[in-house]
Amino acid sequence: RGLWVSLVQFLPVEDVVVCTDFFQTAGTQRSFDPVLCIGMDSLGLVNATPRRTCARALDVCCGSGIQGIVACSTYAQHVVFVDPNPRAVRFTRFNLLLNGIGADRSEVHCDDLFGALSHAEPFDVILANPASFPNGQGQGCLDVFADGGASGEEILSNLIKAAPLHLSSTGRMHIASNFINVQQYSSKLQEWWSHNANSGPAQCLVAHGIEWDVDTYGKLVHEGLSIEDTQLQRYCQGLQDSGIVSVCNGLLFLGRGGPGPGLQCTVCDMHDKLWQQLCLHNNEAQQIRQDLQNFNVTI
């Protein structure tokens, strides 16, 4: 008797169902670029994002479309999805159909970041879970959905630089990402935000988890993969050569407006396992969500 095995996963997330690739699909030999599985980063961002009613939201680097689909089902009237991976675009279109979200409330583009949106109306909310793993100057065994360039910040920095052109006057960004040398993020974000001369004032919170040194992070990234010790050493050396001292993961919340001038940033070590904690429903997780919501009320 033959066995039927699904090559993709279906995962319920609140009141929606999302289809995407399995975690095990990543890092394997195949003829396509896999789409990010539903992990702690995706669910952490879903659980931490404020749900204020808005007219237009953008899910950029959308992958399976999980962020935008939850937004469309709870607080956003219309959502635009963008991803450069054709497989991600196909997953997103399938998931929209699966959840009964029609073309009158959504649109999907296969493009890099904001390339297809040069003439689009501004967005009230931008959601993103971009590729943000540093690639060790090409020495890492990273999939496209993970590869954030040598610094790990190639896509994140471009998102922040372009955001003033695409956010409404009271618009907000909510991002799940790795953060490189996080103690430098106040100055980094101020530089990226001010890239546009008309960026105006903004407020930002970077909430992060434990900081890993280069050697520890290299082992975490390649855990379970069949690579030689010399390759891991080359990866860690590539991180060091890129000026990377530490890596952590977390969430970034940015809102236009505030006392100004420019961007005012708070960097907060909130919990060692921030993404994981946000997926739980205990008292500690509830307090973290409340702390994040309290900040978001001000932006």
Side-chain angles (χ1 to χ4, degrees):
R1 181 179 298 179
L3 295 177
W4 290 86
V5 179
S6 175
L7 299 180
V8 295
Q9 64 170 324
F10 287 81
L11 186 72
V13 181
E14 299 185 2
D15 294 330
V16 304
V17 176
V18 179
C19 175
T20 188
D21 282 316
F22 282 106
F23 170 77
Q24 291 84 352
T25 307
T28 59
Q29 295 294 323
R30 57 307 190 238
S31 59
F32 59 87
D33 291 321
V35 175
L36 181 66
C37 66
I38 306 301
M40 297 297 180
D41 48 350
S42 300
L43 296 175
L45 183 57
V46 165
N47 291 331
T49 295
R51 301 188 180 186
R52 305 176 195 167
T53 301
C54 72
R56 285 173 55 79
L58 169 66
D59 185 356
V60 63
C61 306
C62 65
S64 64
I66 177 175
Q67 304 302 328
I69 288 170
V70 171
C72 208
S73 70
T74 53
Y75 63 89
Q77 296 175 20
H78 188 91
V79 179
V80 177
F81 300 81
V82 178
D83 199 287
N85 183 353
R87 184 172 175 85
V89 168
R90 291 194 293 272
F91 266 121
T92 296
R93 287 177 173 153
F94 175 80
N95 286 327
L96 287 167
L97 290 171
L98 183 64
N99 290 281
I101 300 171
D104 57 327
R105 298 191 59 211
S106 65
E107 56 186 275
V108 187
H109 299 277
C110 187
D111 211 327
D112 290 325
L113 297 184
F114 301 102
L117 307 173
S118 57
H119 301 294
E121 296 179 17
F123 295 94
D124 304 302
V125 174
I126 294 177
L127 304 160
N129 186 3
S132 58
F133 285 59
N135 66 22
Q137 299 192 3
Q139 298 297 329
C141 298
L142 302 180
D143 288 291
V144 170
F145 65 73
D147 192 340
S151 68
E153 299 170 328
E154 182 177 311
I155 300 176
L156 177 62
S157 62
N158 287 333
L159 278 171
I160 303 298
K161 289 175 182 178
L165 300 174
H166 299 279
L167 280 173
S168 66
S169 60
T170 57
R172 292 164 286 122
M173 293 186 77
H174 310 300
I175 299 175
S177 180
N178 284 315
F179 301 126
I180 313 302
N181 304 339
V182 72
Q183 300 308 321
Q184 301 173 8
Y185 256 68
S186 288
S187 58
K188 286 184 180 182
L189 288 164
Q190 288 166 1
E191 178 185 347
W192 296 340
W193 179 257
S194 63
H195 177 79
N196 187 293
N198 299 316
S199 56
Q203 297 181 76
C204 181
L205 171 69
V206 175
H208 67 88
I210 190 171
E211 295 180 64
W212 297 294
D213 61 34
V214 165
D215 290 335
T216 303
Y217 179 74
K219 292 175 183 177
L220 287 171
V221 169
H222 293 92
E223 184 177 9
L225 297 184
S226 299
I227 66 169
E228 299 177 358
D229 289 342
T230 53
Q231 186 174 356
L232 178 58
Q233 291 170 3
R234 289 196 299 270
Y235 176 68
C236 292
Q237 186 61 53
L239 298 181
Q240 293 174 349
D241 292 344
S242 298
I244 296 173
V245 176
S246 67
V247 183
C248 60
N249 55 45
L251 301 167
L252 186 154
F253 300 93
L254 183 151
R256 299 198 87 158
L263 182 142
Q264 307 297 314
C265 182
T266 300
V267 177
C268 177
D269 182 355
M270 190 158 282
H271 193 282
D272 281 358
K273 297 181 178 180
L274 180 59
W275 285 347
Q276 292 89 330
Q277 195 67 29
L278 284 167
C279 297
L280 302 178
H281 297 282
N282 56 28
N283 291 337
E284 187 175 12
Q286 181 59 38
Q287 184 59 56
I288 292 173
R289 283 192 287 269
Q290 186 60 56
D291 291 342
L292 292 173
Q293 292 295 331
N294 289 342
F295 176 83
N296 276 290
V297 166
T298 68
I299 63 175

